[in-house]
Amino acid sequence: MSADPAAAGPVGMTRAEHFATIGQQRHAATLGMWAWLLTELLLFAGLFLTALILRLLHPEAVQAAAGHLKFWIGAANTVVLLCSSLTMSAAIELSRLGWQRMMVGCLVATASLGALFLVLKGYEYYADYEEHMMPFLARRPYALAEQPATRLFVNLYYVATALHAVHLLTGIAILVGLTWKASRPGFLQRHQNWIEVYGLYWHFIDLIWIIAFPVLYVVNR
Amino acid sequence: MRNPRPALDAKDRALLWSRLRVPVRTFLALLALLAVNVGLGATRPFEQVWLVELAVVAAMAAIIVLVSMEVRHERPLVRLFAGLGFFWVAILFGMTLTDYLAR
Amino acid sequence: MSSAGSLQGEAAARDPHTPSPTLDRPDDYLHAQSTLRSWFLTTDHKRIALLYLASITAFFVVGAVAAGFVRLALVVPDGAIMTNDTYNKAFTIHGVVMVWFFLIPSIPATFGNFLIPLMIGAKDLAFPKLNLASWYVFMTGALFTLAAVVLGGVDTGWTFYAPLSTAFSNTWVLPALIGVTIVGFSSILTGLNFVVTIHTMRAPGMTWFRLPIFVWTHYATSLIFLLATPVITLALILLIAERAFHVGVFDPAYGGDPVLFQHLFWFYSHPAVYIMVLPGMGVISEIVPAFAQKKLFGYRFVAYAAIGLASVTFFVWGHHMFVNGQSDLASLAFSALSFAVAVPSAVKVYNWTATIHKGSLRLDTPMLYAMGYIGLFVLGGLTGLYLATLAINQHIHATYFVVAHFHYIMVGGTVLAFLGGLHFWWPKITGRMYSEPWGRISALFIFIGFNVTFFPQFILGYLGMPRRYATYPPEFQLLNVLSSAGSTILAAGYLFPMVYLVHSLWFGRRAPGNPWDAKGLEWETASPPPPHNFAGVPRVPEVPYDYPIQAPETGRQHT
C-alpha cells in the first residue's frame, strides 16, 4: 500500500499496488459492483418470470393466494426501505463532504431501518403461520388446500421473500462491519469510495423489493 | 477534516442542504409513486389496473437506477452495464413468453 | 532478495531466445516463495491459475474414469456388466463432473487467469483477493458435489430435470444440487474479475483492437458468466426448494410446470456451451498465427464473431426443448435463431483456415491440436444444424446423435483447445520444454481415439439408439464395441501428457522467453514470468499478430 499524493485531501483513497492510478482503481470498483448487480438482477428476474408464468397458468389460484398476503405490512416495509435509501444517499453525500460523524450516523440509521424491515417481515411470516398459510410445512394444515394450485404461488412468495431477506441480512452484516471501520479516524482519506460502492448494493436491494412488492402483493390482487 | 458537531453554522447548513436536495426530492417522488400504487392496489378501480401499476413500478425503478444510483452521472460504460442487465431480462422474458403465450 | 530489481531488468533486456540464468536462485513467480501458505493464500493470478489447473485436472480424471465405466457397460447389449442403477450413477458422475467442474472452468480459470493480465500488460487482475476466493468457492462446491455423486450416487444426469430430480429419484440429489449452485458463484466471480480487468487494467496503448483474440473471447465468455449463471442459480434454488419442501412450481401434481425448469435451465446451459467453446476459440486464434507465422486473417471479424456468438447464444435455448411440449411458435423461433449461430462460428473457422493458407507452417504439438480442433469443430458445428432443424430433431432428439454432436464440440473443441493451449503456454507457465515427439504422438492418439469413439455414435443415433439407456438391441453391438475400443485409445492419449508434462517439470529443457517466435505481450516477459509479470510498463505493439507473413489480406508479402 503506497500513499498517493492525490489522496492528501480530507477525502480520498489509497492506491492498491496492482493499480496504476487512483482513477483506475475507483473505476474498477464501481464497475465491479455494477457487474455484480447485473447478476443479482438476472437472479431475481428468474423469480419474477416464475411468478408471471404461474399467473398465466393459474390466474384464479394466484389471485386467491395473493389475497392472503399481508398487503399493508408489505406496503409499510416498502416505506421503510425507501427511508433507508434516503439515509444511504445522505451517507454517500456526507462522505464526499468528509463529515465523518454525521455519515456514520446515517450508516447506523440505514442498518437500523434494514433491521426494522426484517422484523416486520418476521412478523408477517408469523401472521402467515397463524393463518395456516405455510403450505410447504408438510404437517401443518393449509388454509387453501382445496385449491392445490394456490400453494405454488404461496410457496414462491416464500422463496422470493426469503431470498430477498438473505440479501438484506448480508447487506446489514456488511454494513455493520463497514460502519465500524468507517468510524475509525482517517477512514475517509483512505477508503471513501467504499461508501459509494456499498451504497450501490444497498440501493439495488431496495430496488429489488420495490419491484417484488407490486409483483407479489399488488398486481395479483 | 471538517467534522462539525454538534451545531452547524448557516454556511454548513446551506452546504448540507445543497447536497441533500436531490436525495430528499428523490425520496419524496418515490414515496408519492408508492402511494399511487398502494392506492390502486387497495381500491382496484378497474380490471386492467395492473398495467398502470407496472408502469408506476417502472418509473420507480428508473428513478432509483438513474438518480439514487447516480447512473445519469456515470461514464458511458457503467450506463451500458446498467442497461445491459435490463435488456437481458427482456430476452429472458420475451423468449420464454413465446412459449407460454402461444401454447 | 536485494538483487530482484536488477534480475528483472536483465530478463527484459535479454534476447528472448536465451533461457534465463538459473545459477542464482530464480526470481520468477514459481520460486519467489515456496511455503504451502504462499500457494494457498496467494493472490498472484498466475499461482491461482495453477491451483485451478491442478484441481480441474483431478476432476477431469474422475470424469474420464466414469466415462470409462459407461463405455465398459455398453460393450454388451443386455447390460450384464453392471446394474442399471450403477450405470445411471456412472453417466451422472461423468456428466456432472465434466460439465460443471471441468469444461466450464477449464480454459478461463486456468489460461484465462494466467494470461489475461499478461496479455493486456497488467500486474494482476482487478480483484486479486476475489480471484483467490473464487477458487475456494469452486473447491467447496465441487468437492461437496463430488462426494455426493461418488460416495452416494446420483442418477439424474447432469441436467437434473424435474420431476425426476425432485419427486422420483431416491439418490443424493440434494447435496449435488447445493454443490453445483455454490460452484456457480465461482464462475460469476471469475467472470466479474475478467470483465473489470479487461475494461480497466489495460496497459497504456492497449486499445480494444490491439487485444489478442484470446482476450476478446474471454471477455465474451465473462459476459455469459455474468448474465446467464444467476438464472441457473435461481433454477437450482427452486429445484432445491422443490425437493426439500415440495414447493410445487415444477411439480405437475399441483399444477406446476416442469418445462419452466427447462426454460430456466437452458437459459444458462445453452450459453454455457459458449462458456466452454469461446475460450477454446481464443486459444486456437493464438496458436494458428504463431505456427503459421502469419498475421491472423480478418482480426476484427474474429473479434466481432466472439461477441456475436455470446449474444446470439441467448436466443436459442429452446432448441433443447423441441419435443418437450413447448409451443409451436417458440419451437419455430428457436429453430430459426439457432441457425444464426452458424454464421459467427463459420466466420471463425474460415478466418483460421485463411490464416493457415500460404503460411509458413510448423506442425508442432500445439498446432496439431489446433488443426484437430478446426476439423472436429466443423463436424460438430454442422451436425448442430441438423439438430436445429425441427423435423430432423424429432427423429434424432435424445439419441446418440446428440451425444456425438456435443462431444465433437466439447471434446473435439474444448478439450483439444485446452490441451493445445497447455502445450503452447507450458514453457511460459513452467519455464520448461516438454518432449516434442511424445507431444505429437499423444496428439495423434487423441485425434484418432476421439474419432473412433464418437463417430460411430452419430450412426448409432441416426439409427435410433437413445442416450442414457443401459441396454440396447443386439444389432447395435458392433458400433458400440468400436466406440468403446476407441475410448481406450483416447484414454492412452490423455495419459501420455500427464506423464511427460510432469516429467518435464524436473527434467525438461529450460524454456526461453519466446520459444515459438510468437507475438503477444506474454512472450515479451521471462519464462516463467516474474511475480509482477513485467519489469516495467510493457510497450504495446501497434498491430496485433504482427507476424512476418501478412498476405493475402493486405496484398503485401514480406518476410
Side-chain angles (χ1 to χ4, degrees), chain C residues 510-539:
Chain C
R510 299 266 171 194
N514 187 358
W516 316 115
D517 285 323
K519 302 290 178 185
L521 287 185
E522 80 268 30
W523 301 109
E524 308 269 314
T525 188
S527 294
H532 281 297
N533 296 348
F534 299 97
V537 179
R539 198 187 58 79

Side-chain angles (χ1 to χ4, degrees), chain C residues 54-75:
Chain C
S55 28
I56 66 163
T57 306
F59 287 121
F60 180 81
V61 171
V62 174
V65 168
F69 276 106
V70 171
R71 283 318 321 167
L72 176 67
L74 292 174
V75 169

Side-chain angles (χ1 to χ4, degrees), chain B residues 75 77 80-81 84-103, chain C residues 195 199 219 223 227 231 257 259-260 263-264 267 310-311 314-315 317 325-327 329-330 334 337:
Chain B
R75 48 180 102 193
L77 181 63
L80 177 72
F81 267 64
L84 202 64
F86 290 95
F87 182 66
W88 247 256
V89 172
I91 299 176
L92 173 64
F93 274 66
M95 295 305 288
T96 310
L97 288 180
T98 58
D99 177 11
Y100 285 93
L101 292 181
R103 272 195 197 171
Chain C
V195 165
H199 270 297
Y219 182 75
L223 282 184
L227 293 164
V231 178
D257 186 11
V259 175
L260 180 59
H263 276 298
L264 295 172
F267 181 84
S311 313
F314 278 93
F315 291 89
W317 80 79
Q326 119 187 307
S327 76
L329 174 71
F334 280 123
L337 287 162

Side-chain angles (χ1 to χ4, degrees), chain B residues 18-35:
Chain B
S18 76
R19 294 302 187 98
L20 292 187
R21 199 159 43 212
V22 172
V24 169
R25 284 182 183 168
T26 313
F27 171 69
L28 293 177
L30 289 172
L31 219 51
L33 287 170
L34 176 67

Side-chain angles (χ1 to χ4, degrees), chain B residues 16-60:
Chain B
L16 187 61
W17 173 240
S18 76
R19 294 302 187 98
L20 292 187
R21 199 159 43 212
V22 172
V24 169
R25 284 182 183 168
T26 313
F27 171 69
L28 293 177
L30 289 172
L31 219 51
L33 287 170
L34 176 67
V36 171
N37 247 0
V38 170
L40 290 177
T43 55
R44 272 169 288 164
F46 52 95
E47 191 63 19
Q48 269 71 38
V49 70
W50 59 273
L51 272 171
V52 185
E53 288 163 351
L54 289 182
V56 172
V57 179
M60 291 175 83

Side-chain angles (χ1 to χ4, degrees), chain A residues 77-193:
Chain A
N77 252 342
T78 316
V79 175
V80 169
L81 281 192
L82 285 182
C83 292
S84 80
S85 259
L86 174 65
T87 54
M88 192 68 230
S89 290
I92 292 172
E93 292 294 347
L94 290 164
S95 79
R96 287 172 185 160
L97 287 175
W99 295 6
Q100 194 176 11
R101 187 174 300 270
M102 282 176 76
M103 176 197 78
V104 169
C106 280
L107 291 178
V108 170
T110 308
S112 313
L113 286 164
L116 177 61
F117 177 96
L118 290 180
V119 170
L120 284 173
K121 192 83 233 163
Y123 174 72
E124 190 181 349
Y125 282 162
Y126 171 74
D128 289 329
Y129 178 81
E130 289 289 295
E131 288 178 25
H132 295 272
M133 283 298 288
M134 286 200 172
F136 62 87
L137 295 179
R139 293 172 182 223
R140 192 165 172 85
Y142 170 47
L144 298 176
E146 313 86 69
Q147 285 174 281
T150 55
R151 60 179 284 143
L152 308 189
F153 184 79
V154 177
N155 281 332
L156 187 73
Y157 152 80
Y158 285 109
V159 175
T161 51
L163 201 59
H164 178 263
V166 166
H167 278 85
L168 196 58
L169 197 64
T170 319
I172 293 171
I174 298 171
L175 186 53
V176 168
L178 182 67
T179 308
W180 184 77
K181 283 198 168 206
S183 60
R184 305 277 104 187
F187 173 83
L188 286 177
Q189 280 106 310
R190 282 178 278 118
H191 300 301
Q192 187 271 331
N193 81 317

Side-chain angles (χ1 to χ4, degrees), chain C residues 33 39 52 64 131 198 204 227 233 256 258 297 313 411-412 441 457 499:
Chain C
Q33 284 175 294
W39 280 95
Y52 266 115
N131 195 17
I198 295 169
L227 293 164
T233 306
F297 187 88
T313 185
V411 184
I441 289 170
Q457 297 187 4
V499 177

